[in-house]
Amino acid sequence: MSKQKYLDNLFEPILVINNKNEIIYYNHFFSTFSGLSPRKIKKIENVSSLLSSIDNKISLDQQIDKVRKDGGVSVSKEGLIKFLESEETFNCVLKVNQVDEDEVLICFNDLSIEKSIYDKYRKQVEELKVSYKQLVLADKLKSIGELSAGISHEISNPLTIASGNTEILEILLETQDDLNSKEDILEAITNIQSSLLRINKITLNMKKFVHEGVKSKQFVSVDKLIQSSVGLVSPSFERLGITLTCEHNSDISAYVDELAIEQVLVNLLKNALDSVENSNNSIKEVKVYTSLDTKNNSFSISIEDTGSGIKEEVVDLIFNPFFTTKELGEGTGMGLSLSSQIIEEHQGEISLVQNSDNGCIFSVVLPSAEISNYLELETRNSNLDDNETSKVLVIDEDYLNLNFYTTLNEQCGGSFLVSRSISKSLQLLESININKVIFGESLFSKDNVNSILAMEDDIEIYVYSETDNISEVDIRGIITLPLNKEDVLEKLEINLGVDDEV
Amino acid sequence: MSEGLNIKTSHEDDNLVVTFSGLIDEDSSFESIENKLNGNVIFDFEEVSLINSCGIREWVTFLESVDKGTILTYRNCRQIIIEQVNMVHGFIRDGARIESFYAPYYCEECDQEHKVHLNVADVKDGKAPEIKCPKCKTADLEFDAIEEQYFQFIK
Ligand SMILES: [Zn+2]
């Protein structure tokens, strides 16, 4: 009996029942916890009537029967219970334990607070997600607003050309007496068409930029990313007479959420523009350039301006939310903070790498496309290497093809790793066990296949239907172009079994 | 506001009376009285309907902000408060005093539960004082909890 004194000091509710299911002991805390006074507990003839399971996840009777039959311990699921006539509910896990031949111990683990805080947390996270989405959109709209003067200028130029050419057409048609005018008419039409195309391109670019897309990563050329961001800001640069130069490096590819990275670049370019515009420095120029860091498997995009730099005392604050150097009401101060959040979501880093009276350099460092893709797969499949499904490496330079496979990963839980180069592919093979390799047309060669097989000789090789010289190597299968899901999965003999929603 | 915790203050002679009502939980904020208490302060829990362990965490943090020279008295502690006081060290700070509280009683004649308002001085040797049923006025009420546990805080 003295042992029960110990139990009375516990902050965990405990009951002991006998073979007749009568409560022969409860500790002090059980009374407090259940709200049942000793008087009420005494009236309970059978422990079966003690509590009811509201969500039917807990059956105390079954647990008791089980431990009586098999011995040992029975732990219930987490479920909602209430005691006797009480209205109060508890989220509990019940543990039933055969302590000796005729006594069974019942322990209650009350998780009500955890559950309610967890629910609250989930709700707040959802709300935060919504606010974040709104913030991202607001930032984009603000950027477009600030760039609108330049953009409208960019539209009005071709509009003037187009309307001028319609006047020419009118005159030509009124006076169509000789055949010479046919050439002039064609020229005017060409001018109108190209002007309209220019306008169309600008508006499409804007529309895409503010589009609230689903967050999804794609293989994309870094050049293309820069070009579409530059396309949005360059009219504003032209209007203010500030030079904007881009250095090209068509070799770099990224695996990113294209729109999000564009938003970051537009933010950085716009800041650079503002900084140069407000500076008295005689050189007015912004440069965008990229560089590849093969050693660290990353690349960077840098934006260099000739503005007056950022004041020493605020340098540490620039990535904070709501920080702005602009007049009240001009900027939300969210640009850099959002940008750094977006880059962090890409496992990258944004930083101010140089800052002086003669300008700044902001740099965005992102992991190489192959690494990003690998990390994403790894996160999704938790432990990729232990995973049962076949792991397929796609070595292809074609962005459309690569994105086909990453979409398969996303939609059907596939395990496609993709790469745009042989050297990167060999690196991936070093760290992960690959079963199959698909070669794109441009990267297929006997040497390339052999270098892959030299790493792992039982890898199965696949090529596309349009590939030449396939007779030189041992091919496991030929995949039909253009790519389609059924064909690819069938040829690779992969069963993802997620076709039920089709 | 019906949800959450409400805090009102009033004066009673030389004492500042702080009345709490509603829930003391993880969302409770004691900001309105933090660093504002001194002298003789009475906490009144008459209207408190719920307190959970997260609320106690907030409460303990709040108590730490109260000036050490402040003399604290707890009044009208509900059964849930007493249960928490018995469980969590720090709900009542050293030197503070509980003046009055509620205790559960039961009348067998009327088959009715009563929450009886008691002064700490009424409890002797850890035994619940004898109370006549306020309804039938004849039967003796039976204490409806475990005395040894319920009166732990009176020591
Ligand atoms: Zn009575």
Side-chain angles (χ1 to χ4, degrees), chain A residues 160-193:
Chain A
T160 315
I161 297 171
S163 75
N165 275 284
T166 53
E167 278 170 34
I168 293 172
L169 267 184
E170 201 176 11
I171 296 166
L172 286 172
L173 287 172
E174 273 171 8
T175 60
Q176 51 163 312
D177 31 18
D178 62 69
L179 276 170
N180 282 349
S181 61
K182 191 182 172 190
E183 247 168 61
D184 295 332
I185 292 173
L186 283 176
E187 194 195 325
I189 291 175
T190 313
N191 283 341
I192 293 170
Q193 280 174 341

Side-chain angles (χ1 to χ4, degrees), chain A residues 6-14 27-30 33 108-110, chain B residues 83-89 149 152:
Chain A
Y6 298 153
L7 298 179
D8 281 337
N9 281 300
L10 287 183
F11 288 145
E12 186 179 9
I14 281 167
N27 69 348
H28 285 175
F29 192 66
F30 177 79
F33 166 71
F108 297 79
N109 187 1
D110 180 19
Chain B
E83 284 165 358
Q84 293 294 342
V85 167
N86 284 331
M87 257 199 302
V88 182
H89 180 79
Q149 189 192 23
Q152 251 177 65

Side-chain angles (χ1 to χ4, degrees), chain B residues 16-56:
Chain B
L16 176 71
V17 181
V18 183
T19 311
F20 301 98
S21 57
L23 324 170
I24 301 180
D25 62 11
E26 59 278 8
D27 293 330
S28 300
S29 162
F30 297 95
E31 217 170 57
S32 63
I33 48 170
E34 240 163 66
N35 303 312
K36 283 183 190 132
L37 305 181
N38 50 49
N40 293 328
V41 176
I42 298 170
F43 292 141
D44 190 331
F45 295 99
E46 178 76 31
E47 305 286 335
V48 172
S49 56
L50 183 142
I51 180 162
N52 68 19
S53 63
C54 295
I56 292 178

Side-chain angles (χ1 to χ4, degrees), chain B residues 75-86:
Chain B
R75 174 185 284 176
N76 302 330
C77 297
R78 290 274 161 198
Q79 184 172 347
I80 36 161
I81 301 278
I82 295 299
E83 284 165 358
Q84 293 294 342
V85 167
N86 284 331

